[in-house]
Amino acid sequence: MRRAFVNARLLDPATGLDRKGGLLVLGEHIADLGPHIRPDQLAPDIEWVDCGGHCLAPGLVDMRTQFREPGQEHKETIDSVSRAAASGGITAMVGLPNTDPVIDDVAVVEFVARRAREVKLVKVFVYGAVTKGLAGKTLTEMGLLREAGALAFTDGCKAVRDAQVMRNALSYARGFDALIIQHPEDPDLADGGHMNEGELATRLGLAGIPTAAESILLERDRRLVALTRGRYHAAHVSSAEGLEIVRRAKAEGLRFTADTAPPYFALNELEVEDYRTFAKVSPPLRAEPDRLAVVQALKDGTIDVIASDHAPHDQESKRIPFAQAEPGMVGVETLLPLALELYHDGMLSLLDLLHKMTVAPARLLGLDLGTLAVGKPADLVLFDLEKPWRLNVKGGVGKSKNAPYDGRPVQGQVRMTVVDGRIVYQAAET
């Protein structure tokens, strides 16, 4: 395959590149890029795509997605989530191990890899479970899972609640420099809670989850990381208190990183008024000061990565009383336009924003992705930075439609997604 993308604004957060030009793809890799890649300079046999002056950047690397396959294919499959991700500009994604069966066995890792090869859209990776069956008791065979392809280890949407188990996991994983990813929410303090603890929860008559549930577990884990010198990552940190602990851990030189997701910087707890179950997530949407703290942490580098936190659910799991509804919302299709709000609001530069969705997660997970460089995989997203439109969750290509963003005005739209030089998504002309 010989294809050039011309008349683009080239953006590479890994190198700070931001200039007009073109990019040449030979086979699956980037062969050249720069202002000299123009139609009049190309050999006649090279196909070229006019980017119309839009942004051409590395494809997004989403480090937190729930596939639902195997086990809950009525909610999502590797095929449907891959199509949804491609339409959102994601070229690589990593699935949590909370499938059925759980990804705590080499056979399940190999099953997902086989399904990804069959679908052949975006690149699909998985995490292995920290504990067998996500039960929090017995460590999995991390070494074998790692050899089979598991990128890192997590119990997904469950915290590793036992301090000794977490200590052992950090120590064991350190032996092969593997990352342990925690859902930082104390299960005892969160037990029975359905939304953020506070005045609104009281008024709605719903049991609340205090921010202390997050900060207590993060503080415990900070000390365990100091004790073991392991690699630790806190997923979807949602509170000002929790972020202060991440900040302290980084200042101490610990290998302690964090991510967040659009719900935690684009929404606050007011979204759950009228018992809107589509806004029920775990950890819960917090109060406005916590949302602002998340934005500040993105600006000052406390938060390293923005992930989609894609959690698909069917109508039967969401169209029920709030206390009974499953937590989570879909996110792969809306990741980029919601994140671009941070740029359009003047909170982050465009390169800093893209850094948190491309090269930062790639480096954290040891993937040779997320940059525009000669010899690297031709994984690309082409997007119109200024395009105004309204999110249409119901019209998305994923199987589940559980998100509270329907009709939200945004600015910025994916036009094309390319994986290993193949065009896997192209927007309709509007």
Side-chain angles (χ1 to χ4, degrees), residues 73-139:
E73 288 83 352
H74 60 291
K75 293 184 176 182
E76 198 78 283
T77 64
I78 291 171
D79 181 272
S80 65
V81 71
S82 295
R83 294 182 190 283
S87 72
I90 294 167
T91 54
M93 57 183 178
V94 193
L96 299 185
N98 58 342
T99 50
D100 184 13
V102 170
I103 304 178
D104 60 2
D105 183 271
V106 168
V108 191
V109 177
E110 291 174 343
F111 167 81
V112 174
R114 185 173 69 252
R115 287 286 297 122
R117 286 194 299 273
E118 292 168 357
V119 172
K120 201 180 179 184
L121 281 171
V122 305
K123 293 172 179 172
V124 172
F125 303 93
V126 294
Y127 297 120
V130 174
T131 63
K132 291 182 179 177
L134 309 179
K137 301 294 184 184
T138 307
L139 294 184

Side-chain angles (χ1 to χ4, degrees), residues 130-139 154-170 180-193 213-214 216-222 224 232:
V130 174
T131 63
K132 291 182 179 177
L134 309 179
K137 301 294 184 184
T138 307
L139 294 184
T154 176
D155 273 359
C157 301
K158 288 184 174 181
V160 178
R161 79 191 298 163
D162 187 299
Q164 187 62 47
V165 172
M166 177 55 90
R167 178 184 180 177
N168 291 342
L170 287 164
I180 299 294
I181 301 174
Q182 172 74 297
H183 173 77
E185 186 175 58
D186 183 280
D188 296 316
L189 283 173
D191 186 33
E214 183 171 271
I216 284 174
L217 204 62
L218 282 171
E219 180 59 28
R220 183 204 77 177
D221 287 353
R222 182 185 70 82
L224 291 175
Y232 177 93

